[in-house]
Amino acid sequence: AAELEYESVLCVKPDVNVYRIPPRTSNRGYRASDWKLDHPDWTGRLRVTSKGKTAYIKLEDKVSGELFAQAPIDQYPGIAVETVTDSSRYFVIRIQDGTGRSAFIGIGFTDRGDAFDFNVSLQDHFKWVKQETEISKESQEADTRPKLDLGFKEGQTIKLNIGNMTTKKGGAAKPRVSGSGGLSLLPPPPGGKIAVPPIPPPSSTAIANHVTPPPVLKSSNVNSADILLHLDAPASASKAPASATTDLWGDFSTASSAVPNQAPQQSNWVQF
């Protein structure tokens, strides 16, 4: 697995200064003001790389790219890289050679933005390392846990109860009311009124048959011939339209003319 890991570049800064620092005399931390900042011991290029979970700070020559020193980092912040107490542009790193020897040197950037990028590149790398460690730990715990068997056993069944789908045993289905053509008819809406077909107006003949002759009053001046004349006039008028008209209301007019069979009374009004 180590052979398959490849090296990736996290950050490259073309100008970095290297200083020899005095040994630490107390636990108060390093101070950049104690160094000879105007006279750096070496100047070159800084490159931050990663291989697997380990990051490397490599100091290289600007022209040839020859490696001057490198510092492997397993944890940040940690003893491999420390910040100084009086500036954000200077750091103390622990360099190592192939024989296992190590030394502490100081590095510094002229631009404050370069120092910020260097710090952030290391933070992002070890943040990714922490996430990968947590994910691998969770996967290992999941493998050791007993797995749940949610499959059906042989002969095992389940029962589903769906709402509004239950029916009574032996119950017959209610017949549906259907109209002509096999279509179901809906009941009339509540409060609705059924329209009555309009009645055609009666004809003039029927209106004439319903006219009641004026009453005739008894008078000594009227003779018996006039009385008979008045009696014959409505009878003859009622017979003629009944036989001549073909209106549907003829039967009703004939019946109505036969109903009033009262004796006419005498009247002083002249019949026209």
Side-chain angles (χ1 to χ4, degrees):
E3 294 178 355
L4 296 176
E5 292 178 353
Y6 59 93
E7 186 178 22
S8 61
V9 179
L10 304 179
C11 178
V12 176
K13 295 301 174 182
D15 294 323
V16 63
N17 298 323
V18 177
Y19 304 93
R20 290 181 180 179
I21 61 175
R24 180 187 296 181
T25 57
S26 63
N27 294 329
R28 63 182 179 92
Y30 294 99
R31 292 175 59 89
S33 60
D34 297 337
W35 308 343
K36 298 177 181 180
L37 300 179
D38 296 335
H39 301 86
D41 297 299
W42 185 83
T43 301
R45 180 180 65 189
L46 179 140
R47 199 157 56 97
V48 180
T49 63
S50 65
K51 189 174 183 180
K53 296 182 179 180
T54 305
Y56 296 90
I57 300 175
K58 295 185 177 183
L59 302 175
E60 301 172 345
D61 187 81
K62 291 182 179 180
V63 180
S64 63
E66 183 181 358
L67 181 63
F68 172 73
Q70 78 172 6
I73 305 171
D74 298 331
Q75 184 180 359
Y76 182 78
I79 193 174
V81 179
E82 298 182 42
T83 59
V84 297
T85 58
D86 56 348
S87 178
S88 61
R89 295 187 292 116
Y90 298 93
F91 301 87
V92 175
I93 63 175
R94 183 183 63 183
I95 59 175
Q96 293 179 352
D97 58 4
T99 60
R101 294 181 301 175
S102 62
F104 290 92
I105 62 174
I107 61 174
F109 301 93
T110 305
D111 189 3
R112 195 177 300 273
D114 293 341
F116 176 79
D117 295 340
F118 168 74
N119 190 16
V120 169
S121 62
L122 293 176
Q123 289 179 353
D124 291 343
H125 171 73
F126 286 99
K127 186 183 295 184
W128 170 81
V129 170
K130 183 179 180 181
Q131 293 177 354
E132 289 292 322
T133 305
E134 292 177 355
I135 292 173
S136 61
K137 186 183 297 184
E138 291 178 357
S139 61
Q140 291 177 0
E141 292 178 355
D143 294 338
T144 56
R145 294 174 185 171
K147 296 182 180 180
L148 297 177
D149 187 8
L150 301 179
F152 287 99
K153 306 298 186 296
E154 184 178 357
Q156 185 179 4
T157 59
I158 60 174
K159 181 179 181 182
L160 299 178
N161 186 8
I162 303 175
N164 300 327
M165 294 294 290
T166 57
T167 56
K168 294 182 179 179
K169 295 181 179 180
K174 295 182 179 180
R176 297 180 62 183
V177 180
S178 59
S180 60
L183 301 177
S184 60
L185 300 178
L186 297 176
K193 295 182 180 180
I194 301 175
V196 180
I199 301 175
S203 61
S204 60
T205 306
I207 294 175
N209 293 335
H210 286 282
V211 175
T212 305
V216 179
L217 299 177
K218 292 182 181 183
S219 176
S220 59
N221 296 329
V222 180
N223 53 14
S224 60
D226 295 332
I227 295 173
L228 294 175
L229 180 61
H230 290 297
L231 293 176
D232 294 336
S236 61
S238 61
K239 292 179 181 181
S243 59
T245 183
T246 59
D247 191 6
L248 296 177
W249 294 86
D251 296 338
F252 293 97
S253 62
T254 304
S256 60
S257 62
V259 172
N261 196 13
Q262 298 178 358
Q265 298 179 1
Q266 295 181 359
S267 174
N268 293 330
W269 296 91
V270 179
Q271 180 71 24
F272 293 99

